[in-house]
Amino acid sequence: MRNIIVQKFGGTSVADTEKIKNVARAVIREKNLGNDVVVVVSAMGHTTDLLVKMAKEISDTPSAREMDMLLSTGEGVSIALLAMALQAQGCDAVSMNAIQAGIMTENLHSKARIIDIKTENIFKHLDEGKVVVIAGFQGVTDELEITTLGRGGSDTSAVALAGALNAKRCDIYTDVEGVYTTDPRIVPYASRLEQISYEEMLELARVGANVLHPRAVETAAKYHMPVRVRSTFKLENLGTLMLGVNQMEIQRPVTGVASDLSQLRIVVCDVQDNPGTAAILFDGLAKENISVDMIIQSYARKAMNTNDIAFTIDKADLDRTMKILEKVKENLHYSNVFVDDKIAKISIVGAGMIDKPGIAAKMFRTLADLDINIKMISTSEIKISCLVEQSSANDAVTALHRVFGLDCDTKAVVKGDLPPSV
Ligand code: ADP
Ligand code: ASP
Ligand code: MG
C-alpha cells in the first residue's frame, strides 16, 4: 500500500534560497520515513503582493485573464527552485505546473474552483520514486486557460491534491506553530489549539483567520482528510490537527476570535419597499459573481414606502458593484449610495456555543464596555459576527479573547513580517 503525504509550504517558508534549502530538508525527512511525498508550494515571500502592485501601476482595471497569467508566475519560480534544491541534496524530484499536474478548474478567473485533478502524471513520477513538487494557487481550464484559486489558494491546491491522491495526511507548513485561538500577530497571548474541527475552522477561515484558505477546509471536510497546520521552522512540533467534530471533546463555548478587514459596507438609501427590490439588486450582483456577506434591510418608512438596504462585499469588488448599482437605479429608485471602507468584521466561533445562551450578550457587552458601536450583526449556529469601526478592531479582538477565557501564559512565535500594503 502506498503512503502518500502532501506537504504544503507557504510564502514565508520559501521566501529566499536558504529557506528553500531548508524546505528541501523537511521534504527529505518525510521521504526518509518511507512516504511518497507530493509538495505544494506558494510564491516566494511577498511575490504575489508585488505582482499585484506592478499590475496596478500599469492599469487601474487589468483584465482578470492577464492578472491570472501574471500571478501564476510566482508559484512557477518556487517549484523549479525547490526541485533543484531537492536534486542538489541527492533527492530525485520533478516540478509540475497546474497544466502538467492536471489541476482542472472552472472557467472563472481569480477565484476558480477545482473541479477535477487528472492524477496520471503525478502517479507516474511517484512510481519512479520521485518527489513531485506542484505549483499551488494555479489551475487550468478545459480550454487551456490559466486560472487562480483566490488569494491564499495554495492551501486548497494541497488539500485537493491530497484528496485526489488518497493521501494519508496533508501537512500545511507555515510561519506559526499551528491554528491559534486568534491571530497571534494581533494577540501575542493567543493559545495554540491541539485540534480543531472542520466546521469551526471553516467558520474561522471565512471570517478572516487566513492561516487556512476556506475552500481548503471545505475540501478537507469533503474527503475527511486529516490536515495538520504546523511550523516550517520547528519541524518536530505537530501543530494543530484538523478533523471531524464528532472526534473531539468540546471544552469551551468559544474556540476562536477573528477579524476581517477585507470588506466594505454599502448602504443603498431610500429604495422602494416593494416585493422584488432585493431580488433585483442581489440578482445583479450574483450574475457578476460578487459575493455578498452581511445584509440588513431597515424598517420601512411607511409615508414614503421606502427603506434602506446595507450589505458588505469584498473591497476588490467595489468598482463592479458600483457599476451594477448604476444599472439597477431606474428599477430601485434609490436616492443615494454610501460606501464605508473603514470597517472590520469581528467574529467569535465555537461549536460549544450551540444551545448555550448568553454568548451573544457577552460579546455585545464586551464591545459596549469598550465604547465600540456595532453597525451590523450576523450569526450562524457556531458563529457571531459584528461589524465595527476598523480602528477598534484590535481592541475588540483582544478583549473578546480575554473575556472568553482564551488567553495563554506564553507568547506565540511568529516568523516573517507582514506583507507590504498593496
Ligand atoms: P502562508 O504564507 O504560509 O500560507 P499565511 O500568511 O497565509 O501563511 O497564514 C499564516 C498567518 O495566518 C500567520 O502568520 C498569522 O498571522 C495568520 N493567522 C490569522 N489567524 C490565525 C489563527 N487563528 N491562527 C494562526 N494564524 C493565524
Ligand atoms: N501566492 C498566492 C497568494 O499569495 C497563493 C498562496 O500563497 O496561497 O495569495
Ligand atoms: Mg496562506
Side-chain angles (χ1 to χ4, degrees):
M1 225 225 21
R2 236 182 226 288
N3 277 332
I4 297 178
I5 299 284
V6 175
Q7 297 182 300
K8 179 256 168 178
F9 294 89
T12 318
S13 310
V14 292
D16 55 43
T17 47
E18 273 317 306
K19 294 209 170 80
I20 290 178
K21 289 182 198 169
N22 179 50
V23 164
R25 286 189 279 275
V27 173
I28 292 170
R29 186 174 179 264
E30 194 66 65
K31 176 105 175 119
N32 287 345
L33 293 174
N35 296 308
D36 283 344
V37 184
V38 172
V39 190
V40 173
V41 275
S42 294
M44 291 170 73
H46 300 306
T47 302
T48 313
D49 293 321
L50 297 174
L51 292 170
V52 171
K53 187 161 178 277
M54 277 197 271
K56 283 194 185 154
E57 283 165 12
I58 300 258
S59 161
D60 285 340
T61 51
S63 79
R65 180 187 188 276
E66 298 313 327
M67 275 310 276
D68 277 356
M69 289 298 283
L70 177 70
L71 298 194
S72 64
T73 61
E75 274 66 15
V77 173
S78 10
I79 49 168
L81 289 176
L82 179 57
M84 286 176 201
L86 285 162
Q87 290 162 1
Q89 291 179 37
C91 173
D92 203 2
V94 60
S95 67
M96 298 178 94
N97 62 23
I99 306 173
Q100 294 164 314
I103 302 178
M104 310 307 297
T105 72
E106 61 183 339
N107 192 1
L108 178 69
H109 288 294
S110 86
K111 44 185 164 188
R113 282 175 180 270
I114 296 176
I115 44 183
D116 186 25
I117 301 185
K118 301 192 189 305
T119 51
E120 306 84 61
N121 267 341
I122 302 174
F123 276 121
K124 195 181 95 210
H125 289 303
L126 288 177
D127 288 342
E128 290 164 3
K130 291 178 190 154
V131 165
V132 181
V133 183
I134 299 178
F137 182 51
Q138 49 177 263
V140 62
T141 70
D142 281 343
E143 281 90 42
L144 293 182
E145 284 296 311
I146 298 293
T147 54
T148 60
L149 311 183
R151 296 303 307 270
S154 296
D155 298 334
T156 302
S157 312
V159 180
L161 278 160
L165 297 167
N166 201 11
K168 198 165 67 171
R169 201 179 65 240
C170 182
D171 283 342
I172 306 283
Y173 287 86
T174 184
D175 55 3
V176 284
E177 289 175 35
V179 178
Y180 284 74
T181 45
T182 192
D183 188 341
R185 290 184 198 271
I186 297 178
V187 181
Y189 291 99
S191 325
R192 184 178 58 79
L193 298 163
E194 285 288 320
Q195 298 187 339
I196 189 163
S197 64
Y198 299 123
E199 294 79 357
E200 288 170 305
M201 190 63 234
L202 183 56
E203 288 285 15
L204 274 176
R206 281 187 181 145
V207 296
N210 59 315
V211 63
L212 276 181
H213 193 238
R215 239 179 277 142
V217 186
E218 276 170 18
T219 310
K222 179 175 141 199
Y223 288 105
H224 303 286
M225 178 60 60
V227 174
R228 269 194 189 285
V229 177
R230 55 200 296 185
S231 168
T232 310
F233 307 98
K234 281 200 176 166
L235 296 178
E236 62 294 350
N237 288 8
L238 289 180
T240 301
L241 180 64
M242 186 171 68
L243 72 186
V245 72
N246 48 0
Q247 295 159 271
M248 296 179 46
E249 207 182 306
I250 294 170
Q251 285 159 345
R252 308 186 264 218
V254 173
T255 304
V257 184
S259 66
D260 183 357
L261 309 186
S262 69
Q263 295 190 349
L264 52 76
R265 179 173 69 141
I266 294 189
V267 187
V268 189
C269 305
D270 305 313
V271 293
Q272 292 298 301
D273 186 34
N274 293 334
T277 297
I280 294 173
L281 172 57
F282 294 110
D283 268 352
L285 296 170
K287 279 193 190 113
E288 283 292 314
N289 265 307
I290 296 171
S291 305
V292 174
D293 183 19
M294 297 168 126
I295 303 176
I296 284 189
Q297 179 172 313
S298 71
Y299 192 68
R301 287 176 285 273
K302 279 288 168 225
M304 314 286 289
N305 194 39
T306 60
N307 61 34
D308 303 329
I309 298 180
F311 56 94
T312 61
I313 52 163
D314 272 353
K315 283 183 176 151
D317 290 331
L318 177 62
D319 290 346
R320 290 190 305 135
T321 301
M322 293 309 278
K323 279 191 193 133
I324 291 158
L325 282 170
E326 214 30 66
K327 258 198 216 159
V328 297
K329 183 160 189 178
E330 58 181 305
N331 293 320
L332 296 191
H333 308 288
Y334 58 79
S335 62
N336 245 322
V337 173
F338 290 113
V339 178
D340 182 3
D341 63 356
K342 297 276 180 297
I343 52 153
K345 187 172 72 170
I346 308 297
S347 308
I348 58 173
V349 172
M353 70 172 71
I354 299 176
D355 298 331
K356 190 156 192 320
I359 303 299
K362 194 167 173 176
M363 179 177 193
F364 303 153
R365 169 57 47 207
T366 305
L367 297 178
D369 288 347
L370 291 170
D371 212 17
I372 295 174
N373 190 31
I374 302 172
K375 295 168 184 254
M376 282 172 135
I377 299 169
S378 74
T379 62
S380 78
E381 214 182 10
I382 63 165
K383 177 207 75 181
I384 306 165
S385 299
C386 295
L387 203 69
V388 303
E389 281 295 327
Q390 191 168 311
S391 55
S392 322
N394 288 1
D395 289 345
V397 170
T398 306
L400 290 166
H401 194 265
R402 192 186 55 246
V403 164
F404 285 104
L406 302 176
D407 278 2
C408 169
D409 300 335
T410 49
K411 277 191 177 184
V413 181
V414 184
K415 297 271 177 181
D417 29 275
L418 285 173
S421 51
V422 184

